[in-house]
Amino acid sequence: SAVISQKPSRDICQRGTSLTIQCQVDSQVTMMFWYRQQPGQSLTLIATANQGSEATYESGFVIDKFPISRPNLTFSTLTVSNMSPEDSSIYLCSALGTAHGYTFGSGTRLTVV
Amino acid sequence: DAKTTQPTSMDCAEGRAANLPCNHSTISGNEYVYWYRQIHSQGPQYIIHGLKNNETNEMASLIITEDRKSSTLILPHATLRDTAVYYCIVLKSSGDKLTFGTGTRLAVRP
C-alpha cells in the first residue's frame, strides 16, 4: 500500500489566518481525498482532490474555505482559510493506489485560538 | 452506498476472539463490505474486505452471511493493541469514496 506523509502533524493558529496542509504519497495514486475529524467524531469527507482540475467538494464544504490543489499524482494540499475555533479538528489525507485499500495519513491536529 | 449499522461499543478479554457485527440490509449485488479501524491518534487502517465469500488475512477474518445483509469481523486473538474504533463500510468499488459511519469502539481488556 502507498505510504502517506502529512505535514504539519499539528499546529496552533490564530483565528482569521490560514493554514496549508501538505500530503505526499510515496507512489503515484489514482485518487486522493481530504477528511475532517472533529473531536470525538467520525471522519467526514471534505473533497476529492482531482489531478489537474478543481477538487470535487462534498455538501457543506466550499472551495473558498477549503481550497485544494493537486498538481501531480503524488501530492496534494488542503488550505483551511480564515480560520475560526470551529475549524479546530484533525484533517486527514487519504489515497487510493493500485492496491485494494485506501491509505490514510496520520493527520494534522489543528487548534484555532 | 448502502447504510451500515454497528453497535456503538464492545469489549473483549485479551487473547479471546473479538466478533464485531455489522448490518447492511440494503446492500446491492455489486457492493463490497470493507472494514477499517482507527487506533487513537492515528489515521484509519485498512483491515479486510469481501464481496460474498468469507475472507481471511493476517489481521482478521470476514464472515458475510449468505443473503449479504450482515457481516462479522473476527479478530481471532485480540490484544491490547487492537483497542480502536472499527468501521464497516459498503462500497460499489475501490474507486468509490469512503464514507464513515460512527463505528464500533472496541476495548480489549487485560
Side-chain angles (χ1 to χ4, degrees):
Chain A
S1 298
V3 176
I4 296 179
S5 300
Q6 198 173 324
K7 294 192 296 186
S9 58
R10 59 178 62 232
D11 207 342
I12 300 173
C13 299
Q14 296 291 322
R15 67 180 68 198
T17 63
S18 298
L19 175 71
T20 295
I21 302 167
Q22 298 181 2
C23 178
Q24 178 71 56
V25 190
D26 69 344
S27 59
Q28 293 186 345
V29 292
T30 53
M31 302 181 78
M32 295 182 74
F33 306 89
W34 287 96
Y35 288 83
R36 181 176 73 183
Q37 187 169 29
Q38 295 178 303
Q41 304 295 313
S42 183
L43 286 80
T44 300
L45 180 64
I46 297 172
T48 302
N50 300 309
Q51 194 263 327
S53 64
E54 193 171 285
T56 305
Y57 290 84
E58 299 298 306
S59 176
F61 297 95
V62 295
I63 188 171
D64 290 346
K65 177 66 176 178
F66 298 102
I68 288 171
S69 78
R70 189 177 173 196
N72 56 51
L73 293 176
T74 64
F75 185 78
S76 178
T77 66
L78 168 74
T79 299
V80 186
S81 302
N82 189 25
M83 289 183 285
S84 68
E86 292 71 37
D87 295 320
S88 297
S89 291
I90 298 172
Y91 292 86
L92 297 111
C93 171
S94 174
L96 173 66
T98 56
H100 46 67
Y102 295 77
T103 305
F104 286 80
S106 53
T108 296
R109 185 178 296 271
L110 171 63
T111 302
V112 183
V113 297
Chain B
D1 294 331
K3 180 178 169 56
T4 62
T5 304
Q6 300 177 252
T8 302
S9 64
M10 296 181 64
D11 66 46
C12 76
E14 189 177 19
R16 305 298 295 267
N19 298 290
L20 290 87
C22 179
N23 287 323
H24 31 78
S25 57
T26 60
I27 192 170
S28 57
N30 60 349
E31 289 182 315
Y32 292 76
V33 180
Y34 277 75
W35 283 84
Y36 281 77
R37 74 179 181 183
Q38 188 175 25
I39 296 170
H40 183 62
S41 296
Q42 298 182 22
Q45 174 191 25
Y46 167 83
I47 302 173
I48 198 167
H49 78 286
L51 184 61
K52 54 184 176 182
N53 297 322
N54 297 338
E55 302 288 344
T56 295
N57 63 20
E58 65 278 3
M59 290 183 67
S61 294
L62 174 60
I63 308 298
I64 303 174
T65 58
E66 192 167 341
D67 63 7
R68 302 186 70 240
K69 293 185 177 181
S70 65
S71 60
T72 301
L73 178 74
I74 301 173
L75 307 178
H77 306 287
T79 71
L80 298 179
R81 289 173 295 180
D82 292 320
T83 292
V85 179
Y86 287 78
Y87 296 99
C88 169
I89 302 170
V90 172
L91 287 176
K92 282 191 175 58
S93 70
S94 62
D96 267 356
K97 301 175 290 188
L98 276 183
T99 302
F100 289 82
T102 53
T104 296
R105 187 173 298 274
L106 175 69
V108 180
R109 45 189 168 77

